[in-house]
Coordinates of all heavy atoms in Angstrom, one line a residue:
M143 N -38.6 -128.9 -138.6 CA -37.2 -129.3 -138.5 C -36.8 -129.8 -137.2 O -37.2 -129.1 -136.2 CB -36.3 -128.1 -138.9 CG -34.8 -128.4 -138.8 SD -33.8 -127.0 -139.2 CE -34.5 -126.2 -140.6
T144 N -36.2 -131.0 -137.1 CA -35.9 -131.5 -135.8 C -34.6 -130.8 -135.3 O -33.9 -130.1 -136.0 CB -35.6 -133.0 -135.9 OG1 -34.4 -133.2 -136.7 CG2 -36.8 -133.7 -136.5
E145 N -34.4 -131.0 -134.0 CA -33.3 -130.3 -133.3 C -32.0 -130.9 -133.9 O -31.0 -130.1 -134.1 CB -33.3 -130.6 -131.9 CG -32.4 -129.7 -131.1 CD -32.6 -129.9 -129.6 OE1 -33.8 -129.8 -129.1 OE2 -31.6 -130.1 -128.9
Q146 N -31.9 -132.1 -134.2 CA -30.7 -132.7 -134.9 C -30.5 -132.2 -136.3 O -29.3 -131.9 -136.5 CB -30.9 -134.2 -134.9 CG -29.6 -134.9 -135.5 CD -29.8 -136.4 -135.6 OE1 -30.8 -137.0 -135.2 NE2 -28.8 -137.1 -136.2
E147 N -31.6 -132.0 -137.0 CA -31.4 -131.4 -138.4 C -30.8 -129.9 -138.3 O -30.0 -129.6 -139.0 CB -32.7 -131.4 -139.1 CG -33.2 -132.8 -139.5 CD -34.6 -132.8 -140.1 OE1 -35.3 -131.9 -139.7 OE2 -34.8 -133.8 -140.9
E148 N -31.4 -129.2 -137.3 CA -31.0 -127.8 -137.1 C -29.4 -127.8 -136.7 O -28.7 -127.0 -137.2 CB -31.8 -127.2 -136.0 CG -31.4 -125.7 -135.9 CD -32.3 -125.0 -134.9 OE1 -33.4 -125.5 -134.6 OE2 -31.9 -124.0 -134.3
Q149 N -29.0 -128.7 -135.8 CA -27.6 -128.8 -135.4 C -26.7 -129.1 -136.6 O -25.7 -128.5 -136.7 CB -27.5 -129.8 -134.3 CG -26.1 -129.9 -133.7 CD -25.7 -128.6 -133.1 OE1 -26.6 -127.8 -132.5 NE2 -24.4 -128.3 -133.0
E150 N -27.2 -130.0 -137.4 CA -26.4 -130.4 -138.6 C -26.2 -129.3 -139.6 O -25.2 -129.0 -140.1 CB -27.0 -131.6 -139.3 CG -26.9 -132.9 -138.5 CD -27.7 -134.1 -139.1 OE1 -28.3 -133.8 -140.2 OE2 -27.6 -135.2 -138.5
L151 N -27.3 -128.5 -139.8 CA -27.4 -127.3 -140.6 C -26.4 -126.2 -140.1 O -25.6 -125.6 -140.8 CB -28.7 -126.7 -140.8 CG -29.6 -127.5 -141.8 CD1 -31.0 -126.8 -141.8 CD2 -29.0 -127.5 -143.2
R152 N -26.4 -126.1 -138.7 CA -25.5 -125.1 -138.1 C -24.0 -125.5 -138.2 O -23.2 -124.6 -138.5 CB -25.8 -125.0 -136.6 CG -27.2 -124.2 -136.4 CD -27.5 -124.0 -134.9 NE -28.7 -123.4 -134.7 CZ -29.0 -122.2 -134.8 NH1 -28.1 -121.3 -135.1 NH2 -30.3 -121.7 -134.5
Q153 N -23.7 -126.8 -138.2 CA -22.4 -127.2 -138.4 C -21.9 -127.1 -139.8 O -20.8 -126.6 -140.1 CB -22.3 -128.7 -138.0 CG -22.3 -129.0 -136.5 CD -22.2 -130.5 -136.2 OE1 -22.6 -131.3 -137.0 NE2 -21.6 -130.7 -135.1
A154 N -22.8 -127.4 -140.8 CA -22.5 -127.2 -142.2 C -22.3 -125.8 -142.5 O -21.3 -125.4 -143.2 CB -23.7 -127.8 -143.0
L155 N -23.1 -124.9 -141.9 CA -23.0 -123.4 -142.1 C -21.6 -122.9 -141.6 O -20.8 -122.1 -142.2 CB -24.1 -122.7 -141.4 CG -24.2 -121.2 -141.6 CD1 -24.4 -120.8 -143.0 CD2 -25.4 -120.6 -140.7
A156 N -21.2 -123.4 -140.4 CA -19.9 -123.0 -139.8 C -18.8 -123.5 -140.6 O -17.8 -122.7 -141.0 CB -19.8 -123.5 -138.3
Q157 N -18.9 -124.7 -141.2 CA -17.8 -125.2 -142.1 C -17.7 -124.4 -143.4 O -16.6 -124.0 -143.8 CB -18.0 -126.7 -142.4 CG -17.8 -127.5 -141.2 CD -18.1 -129.0 -141.5 OE1 -18.9 -129.3 -142.5 NE2 -17.7 -129.9 -140.7
L158 N -18.9 -124.1 -143.9 CA -18.9 -123.3 -145.2 C -18.3 -121.9 -145.0 O -17.6 -121.4 -145.8 CB -20.3 -123.2 -145.8 CG -20.9 -124.5 -146.3 CD1 -22.4 -124.3 -146.6 CD2 -20.1 -125.0 -147.5
K159 N -18.6 -121.2 -143.9 CA -18.2 -119.9 -143.6 C -16.7 -120.0 -143.4 O -16.0 -119.1 -143.8 CB -18.8 -119.4 -142.4 CG -20.3 -118.9 -142.6 CD -20.9 -118.3 -141.4 CE -22.3 -117.8 -141.7 NZ -22.9 -117.1 -140.5
E160 N -16.2 -121.0 -142.7 CA -14.7 -121.1 -142.6 C -14.0 -121.3 -143.9 O -13.0 -120.7 -144.1 CB -14.4 -122.3 -141.6 CG -12.9 -122.5 -141.3 CD -12.7 -123.6 -140.4 OE1 -13.6 -124.2 -139.8 OE2 -11.4 -124.0 -140.2
E161 N -14.5 -122.2 -144.8 CA -13.9 -122.4 -146.1 C -13.9 -121.1 -146.9 O -13.0 -120.7 -147.6 CB -14.6 -123.5 -146.8 CG -14.0 -123.9 -148.1 CD -14.6 -125.0 -148.9 OE1 -15.5 -125.7 -148.3 OE2 -14.3 -125.2 -150.0
H162 N -15.1 -120.3 -146.7 CA -15.2 -119.1 -147.4 C -14.0 -118.0 -147.0 O -13.5 -117.4 -147.8 CB -16.5 -118.5 -147.2 CG -16.9 -117.3 -148.1 ND1 -16.7 -116.1 -147.7 CD2 -17.5 -117.3 -149.3 CE1 -17.1 -115.2 -148.6 NE2 -17.6 -116.0 -149.6
R163 N -13.8 -118.0 -145.7 CA -12.8 -117.2 -145.2 C -11.4 -117.6 -145.6 O -10.5 -116.8 -146.0 CB -12.8 -117.1 -143.7 CG -13.8 -116.2 -143.1 CD -13.8 -116.1 -141.6 NE -13.7 -117.3 -140.8 CZ -14.8 -117.9 -140.4 NH1 -15.9 -117.4 -140.5 NH2 -14.7 -119.1 -139.7
D164 N -11.2 -119.0 -145.6 CA -10.0 -119.5 -146.1 C -9.7 -119.2 -147.5 O -8.5 -118.9 -147.9 CB -9.8 -121.0 -145.9 CG -9.9 -121.4 -144.4 OD1 -9.5 -120.5 -143.6 OD2 -10.1 -122.6 -144.1
L165 N -10.7 -119.2 -148.3 CA -10.5 -118.8 -149.8 C -10.1 -117.4 -150.0 O -9.4 -117.1 -150.9 CB -11.8 -119.2 -150.6 CG -12.1 -120.6 -150.9 CD1 -13.5 -120.8 -151.5 CD2 -11.1 -121.1 -151.8
D166 N -10.7 -116.5 -149.1 CA -10.3 -115.1 -149.1 C -8.7 -115.0 -149.0 O -8.1 -114.3 -149.7 CB -10.9 -114.3 -148.0 CG -12.2 -113.7 -148.4 OD1 -12.4 -113.4 -149.6 OD2 -13.0 -113.4 -147.5
D167 N -8.2 -115.7 -147.9 CA -6.8 -115.7 -147.6 C -6.0 -116.2 -148.8 O -5.0 -115.6 -149.2 CB -6.5 -116.5 -146.4 CG -7.1 -115.8 -145.2 OD1 -7.4 -114.6 -145.2 OD2 -7.3 -116.6 -144.1
A168 N -6.5 -117.4 -149.4 CA -5.8 -118.0 -150.5 C -5.8 -117.0 -151.7 O -4.7 -116.9 -152.4 CB -6.4 -119.3 -150.8
I169 N -6.9 -116.4 -152.0 CA -6.9 -115.6 -153.1 C -6.0 -114.3 -152.9 O -5.3 -113.9 -153.9 CB -8.4 -115.0 -153.4 CG1 -9.3 -116.2 -153.9 CG2 -8.5 -113.9 -154.3 CD1 -10.8 -116.0 -153.9
M170 N -6.0 -113.8 -151.7 CA -5.1 -112.6 -151.5 C -3.6 -113.0 -151.6 O -2.8 -112.2 -152.2 CB -5.4 -112.0 -150.1 CG -6.7 -111.2 -150.1 SD -6.8 -110.2 -148.6 CE -6.5 -111.2 -147.2
A171 N -3.3 -114.2 -151.2 CA -1.9 -114.6 -151.3 C -1.5 -114.9 -152.7 O -0.4 -114.5 -153.1 CB -1.7 -116.0 -150.5
L172 N -2.4 -115.4 -153.5 CA -2.1 -115.6 -155.0 C -2.0 -114.3 -155.7 O -1.2 -114.1 -156.5 CB -3.1 -116.5 -155.6 CG -3.1 -118.0 -155.3 CD1 -4.3 -118.7 -155.9 CD2 -1.8 -118.6 -155.9
E173 N -2.9 -113.4 -155.3 CA -2.8 -112.1 -156.0 C -1.6 -111.3 -155.7 O -1.2 -110.4 -156.4 CB -4.1 -111.3 -155.6 CG -5.4 -111.8 -156.4 CD -6.6 -111.1 -155.9 OE1 -6.7 -110.4 -154.9 OE2 -7.6 -111.2 -156.7
S174 N -1.0 -111.5 -154.5 CA 0.2 -110.7 -154.1 C 1.5 -111.3 -154.7 O 2.5 -110.6 -154.6 CB 0.3 -110.8 -152.6 OG 0.6 -112.1 -152.1
N175 N 1.4 -112.4 -155.5 CA 2.6 -112.9 -156.2 C 3.0 -112.0 -157.4 O 2.1 -111.3 -157.9 CB 2.4 -114.3 -156.7 CG 2.3 -115.4 -155.5 OD1 2.8 -115.1 -154.5 ND2 1.7 -116.4 -155.9
M176 N 4.3 -112.0 -157.7 CA 4.7 -111.2 -158.8 C 4.0 -111.6 -160.1 O 3.6 -110.8 -160.9 CB 6.2 -111.4 -159.0 CG 7.1 -110.8 -157.8 SD 6.9 -108.9 -157.9 CE 8.0 -108.6 -159.2
L177 N 3.9 -112.9 -160.3 CA 3.2 -113.5 -161.4 C 2.0 -114.3 -160.9 O 2.1 -115.5 -160.9 CB 4.1 -114.4 -162.3 CG 5.3 -113.6 -162.9 CD1 6.3 -114.6 -163.5 CD2 4.8 -112.6 -164.0
P178 N 0.8 -113.7 -160.7 CA -0.3 -114.5 -160.1 C -0.9 -115.5 -161.1 O -0.9 -115.2 -162.3 CB -1.3 -113.3 -159.8 CG -0.9 -112.2 -160.6 CD 0.5 -112.3 -160.8
D179 N -1.2 -116.6 -160.6 CA -1.9 -117.6 -161.4 C -3.4 -117.3 -161.5 O -4.2 -117.5 -160.8 CB -1.8 -119.0 -160.7 CG -2.3 -120.1 -161.5 OD1 -2.9 -119.8 -162.5 OD2 -2.1 -121.3 -161.0
T180 N -3.6 -116.5 -162.6 CA -5.0 -116.0 -162.8 C -6.1 -117.1 -163.0 O -7.2 -116.9 -162.5 CB -5.1 -115.0 -164.0 OG1 -4.6 -115.8 -165.3 CG2 -4.2 -113.8 -163.8
L181 N -5.7 -118.2 -163.6 CA -6.7 -119.3 -163.7 C -7.0 -119.9 -162.4 O -8.2 -120.1 -162.1 CB -6.1 -120.4 -164.6 CG -7.0 -121.6 -164.9 CD1 -8.3 -121.1 -165.5 CD2 -6.3 -122.6 -165.7
Q182 N -6.0 -120.0 -161.5 CA -6.2 -120.6 -160.1 C -7.1 -119.6 -159.3 O -8.0 -119.9 -158.6 CB -5.0 -120.9 -159.4 CG -5.2 -121.4 -158.0 CD -5.8 -122.8 -158.0 OE1 -5.9 -123.5 -159.1 NE2 -6.2 -123.3 -156.9
I183 N -6.8 -118.3 -159.5 CA -7.6 -117.2 -158.8 C -9.0 -117.3 -159.3 O -10.0 -117.2 -158.4 CB -7.0 -115.8 -159.0 CG1 -5.6 -115.7 -158.3 CG2 -7.9 -114.8 -158.6 CD1 -4.7 -114.5 -158.6
K184 N -9.2 -117.4 -160.5 CA -10.6 -117.4 -161.1 C -11.3 -118.7 -160.5 O -12.6 -118.5 -160.1 CB -10.5 -117.5 -162.6 CG -11.9 -117.3 -163.3 CD -11.7 -117.4 -164.8 CE -11.2 -116.1 -165.3 NZ -11.3 -116.0 -166.8
R185 N -10.7 -119.8 -160.4 CA -11.3 -121.0 -159.9 C -11.7 -120.8 -158.4 O -12.8 -121.2 -158.0 CB -10.4 -122.2 -160.1 CG -10.3 -122.7 -161.4 CD -9.4 -123.8 -161.5 NE -9.2 -124.3 -162.9 CZ -8.2 -124.9 -163.3 NH1 -7.1 -125.1 -162.6 NH2 -8.1 -125.3 -164.6
L186 N -10.8 -120.2 -157.7 CA -11.1 -120.0 -156.2 C -12.2 -119.0 -156.0 O -13.1 -119.2 -155.2 CB -9.9 -119.4 -155.5 CG -8.7 -120.5 -155.4 CD1 -7.4 -119.8 -154.7 CD2 -9.1 -121.7 -154.7
K187 N -12.3 -118.0 -156.9 CA -13.4 -116.9 -156.8 C -14.8 -117.6 -157.2 O -15.7 -117.3 -156.5 CB -13.1 -115.8 -157.7 CG -12.0 -114.9 -157.1 CD -11.9 -113.7 -158.0 CE -10.9 -112.7 -157.3 NZ -10.7 -111.5 -158.1
K188 N -14.7 -118.5 -158.2 CA -15.9 -119.2 -158.5 C -16.4 -120.1 -157.3 O -17.6 -120.2 -157.1 CB -15.6 -120.1 -159.8 CG -16.9 -120.6 -160.4 CD -16.6 -121.3 -161.7 CE -17.8 -121.7 -162.4 NZ -17.6 -122.2 -163.7
R189 N -15.5 -120.9 -156.7 CA -15.7 -121.6 -155.6 C -16.3 -120.8 -154.4 O -17.3 -121.2 -153.7 CB -14.5 -122.5 -155.1 CG -14.7 -123.2 -153.8 CD -15.5 -124.4 -154.0 NE -15.6 -125.2 -152.7 CZ -16.5 -126.0 -152.5 NH1 -17.4 -126.4 -153.4 NH2 -16.6 -126.6 -151.3
K190 N -15.8 -119.6 -154.3 CA -16.2 -118.7 -153.2 C -17.7 -118.3 -153.4 O -18.4 -118.2 -152.5 CB -15.3 -117.5 -153.1 CG -15.4 -116.6 -152.0 CD -14.4 -115.6 -151.9 CE -14.8 -114.5 -151.0 NZ -14.0 -113.3 -151.2
L191 N -18.0 -118.0 -154.7 CA -19.3 -117.6 -155.0 C -20.4 -118.8 -154.7 O -21.5 -118.5 -154.2 CB -19.5 -117.2 -156.5 CG -18.8 -115.9 -156.8 CD1 -18.9 -115.6 -158.3 CD2 -19.5 -114.7 -156.1
Y192 N -19.9 -120.0 -155.1 CA -20.8 -121.1 -154.8 C -21.0 -121.3 -153.3 O -22.1 -121.5 -152.9 CB -20.1 -122.4 -155.3 CG -20.7 -123.7 -154.8 CD1 -21.9 -124.1 -155.3 CD2 -20.1 -124.4 -153.8 CE1 -22.6 -125.3 -154.9 CE2 -20.8 -125.6 -153.2 CZ -22.0 -126.0 -153.8 OH -22.5 -127.1 -153.3
L193 N -19.9 -121.1 -152.4 CA -20.0 -121.2 -151.0 C -20.9 -120.1 -150.5 O -21.8 -120.4 -149.5 CB -18.7 -121.1 -150.3 CG -17.7 -122.3 -150.6 CD1 -16.4 -122.0 -150.0 CD2 -18.3 -123.5 -150.0
R194 N -20.9 -118.9 -151.1 CA -21.8 -117.8 -150.6 C -23.2 -118.2 -150.9 O -24.0 -118.0 -150.0 CB -21.4 -116.6 -151.4 CG -22.2 -115.3 -150.9 CD -22.1 -114.1 -151.8 NE -22.7 -114.4 -153.0 CZ -22.6 -113.8 -154.1 NH1 -21.9 -112.7 -154.1 NH2 -23.3 -114.1 -155.2
D195 N -23.5 -118.8 -152.0 CA -24.9 -119.2 -152.3 C -25.3 -120.3 -151.3 O -26.5 -120.3 -150.9 CB -25.0 -119.6 -153.7 CG -24.8 -118.6 -154.8 OD1 -25.0 -117.4 -154.3 OD2 -24.5 -118.9 -155.9
R196 N -24.5 -121.3 -151.0 CA -24.9 -122.3 -150.1 C -25.1 -121.8 -148.7 O -26.0 -122.2 -148.0 CB -23.8 -123.4 -150.0 CG -23.7 -124.3 -151.3 CD -25.0 -125.2 -151.4 NE -25.0 -126.1 -150.2 CZ -26.2 -126.4 -149.5 NH1 -27.3 -126.0 -150.0 NH2 -26.2 -127.2 -148.5
I197 N -24.2 -120.8 -148.3 CA -24.4 -120.2 -147.0 C -25.7 -119.5 -146.9 O -26.4 -119.6 -146.0 CB -23.2 -119.2 -146.8 CG1 -22.0 -120.0 -146.5 CG2 -23.6 -118.3 -145.6 CD1 -20.7 -119.1 -146.5
R198 N -26.1 -118.8 -148.0 CA -27.4 -118.2 -147.9 C -28.6 -119.1 -147.8 O -29.6 -118.9 -147.2 CB -27.6 -117.3 -149.2 CG -26.8 -116.0 -149.1 CD -27.1 -115.1 -150.3 NE -26.3 -113.9 -150.2 CZ -26.1 -113.0 -151.2 NH1 -26.6 -113.3 -152.4 NH2 -25.4 -111.9 -151.0
E199 N -28.5 -120.2 -148.6 CA -29.5 -121.2 -148.5 C -29.7 -121.8 -147.2 O -30.8 -122.0 -146.7 CB -29.2 -122.4 -149.6 CG -29.3 -122.0 -151.0 CD -28.8 -123.1 -151.9 OE1 -28.5 -124.2 -151.4 OE2 -28.6 -122.8 -153.2
I200 N -28.6 -122.2 -146.6 CA -28.7 -122.8 -145.2 C -29.2 -121.7 -144.2 O -30.0 -122.0 -143.3 CB -27.4 -123.3 -144.7 CG1 -27.0 -124.5 -145.7 CG2 -27.4 -123.7 -143.4 CD1 -25.7 -125.2 -145.4
D201 N -28.8 -120.5 -144.3 CA -29.1 -119.4 -143.5 C -30.6 -119.2 -143.6 O -31.3 -119.0 -142.6 CB -28.4 -118.2 -143.8 CG -28.3 -117.2 -142.7 OD1 -28.3 -117.6 -141.5 OD2 -28.4 -116.0 -143.0
D202 N -31.2 -119.2 -144.8 CA -32.6 -119.1 -145.0 C -33.4 -120.3 -144.4 O -34.5 -120.0 -144.0 CB -33.0 -119.0 -146.5 CG -32.6 -117.7 -147.1 OD1 -32.3 -116.7 -146.4 OD2 -32.4 -117.6 -148.4
Q203 N -32.8 -121.4 -144.4 CA -33.5 -122.5 -143.7 C -33.5 -122.4 -142.3 O -34.5 -122.8 -141.6 CB -32.8 -123.9 -144.2 CG -33.0 -124.3 -145.5 CD -32.2 -125.6 -145.8 OE1 -31.4 -126.0 -145.1 NE2 -32.5 -126.2 -147.0
L204 N -32.4 -121.9 -141.7 CA -32.3 -121.7 -140.2 C -33.1 -120.6 -139.7 O -33.7 -120.6 -138.7 CB -30.9 -121.6 -139.9 CG -30.1 -122.9 -139.9 CD1 -28.6 -122.6 -139.7 CD2 -30.5 -124.0 -138.9
F205 N -33.1 -119.5 -140.5 CA -33.8 -118.3 -140.1 C -34.7 -117.8 -141.2 O -34.4 -116.9 -142.0 CB -32.8 -117.2 -139.8 CG -31.7 -117.7 -138.9 CD1 -30.4 -118.0 -139.3 CD2 -32.0 -117.8 -137.5 CE1 -29.4 -118.3 -138.4 CE2 -31.0 -118.2 -136.6 CZ -29.7 -118.5 -137.1
P206 N -35.9 -118.5 -141.4 CA -36.8 -118.1 -142.5 C -37.2 -116.5 -142.3 O -37.5 -116.0 -141.2 CB -37.9 -119.0 -142.4 CG -37.8 -119.7 -141.0 CD -36.5 -119.5 -140.6
D207 N -37.4 -115.9 -143.4 CA -37.8 -114.5 -143.4 C -39.4 -114.5 -143.4 O -40.0 -114.6 -144.4 CB -37.3 -113.8 -144.7 CG -37.6 -112.3 -144.6 OD1 -37.7 -111.8 -143.5 OD2 -37.5 -111.7 -145.7
I208 N -39.9 -114.4 -142.2 CA -41.4 -114.5 -142.1 C -42.0 -113.1 -142.0 O -41.6 -112.3 -141.1 CB -41.8 -115.3 -140.8 CG1 -41.3 -116.8 -140.9 CG2 -43.3 -115.3 -140.6 CD1 -41.4 -117.5 -139.6
I209 N -42.8 -112.7 -142.9 CA -43.4 -111.5 -142.8 C -44.7 -111.6 -142.1 O -45.6 -112.4 -142.5 CB -43.6 -110.9 -144.3 CG1 -42.4 -110.8 -145.1 CG2 -44.4 -109.6 -144.3 CD1 -42.5 -110.5 -146.5
A210 N -44.9 -110.8 -141.0 CA -46.1 -110.9 -140.2 C -47.1 -109.8 -140.5 O -46.8 -108.8 -141.1 CB -45.6 -110.7 -138.7

């Protein structure tokens, strides 16, 4: 992996982590409403799971688990 590719992966990872945190805030805000929009909450949680998987994939590329 080149240095530029690694930098791009690190930037993508930071963006995904930020979006993941933002979704946490949005979900908590929706859940605190008197009549929460359960469909919207479900969609946000699904997006959050997708982001978690992408974060793990990129993290594995940047920091491979090498067993010595």
Side-chain angles (χ1 to χ4, degrees):
M143 176 182 319
T144 67
E145 195 172 310
Q146 182 179 356
E147 290 172 332
E148 183 177 340
Q149 184 64 25
E150 290 172 0
L151 283 176
R152 288 182 186 278
Q153 286 178 332
L155 184 60
Q157 290 173 340
L158 291 172
K159 285 182 177 183
E160 183 178 349
E161 185 178 350
H162 192 268
R163 282 190 303 270
D164 292 345
L165 283 174
D166 267 338
D167 295 339
I169 290 168
M170 285 194 312
L172 284 172
E173 288 176 337
S174 69
N175 289 339
M176 292 291 283
L177 297 170
D179 183 352
T180 55
L181 182 59
Q182 182 67 15
I183 292 170
K184 190 179 282 190
R185 287 179 181 149
L186 292 177
K187 285 183 177 184
K188 191 171 186 176
R189 174 74 180 160
K190 191 175 163 196
L191 288 173
Y192 167 77
L193 291 175
R194 184 192 67 191
D195 291 342
R196 286 291 301 139
I197 289 169
R198 283 186 181 164
E199 288 173 12
I200 293 174
D201 203 36
D202 287 345
Q203 288 177 351
L204 288 171
F205 310 105
D207 189 20
I208 300 173
I209 300 173

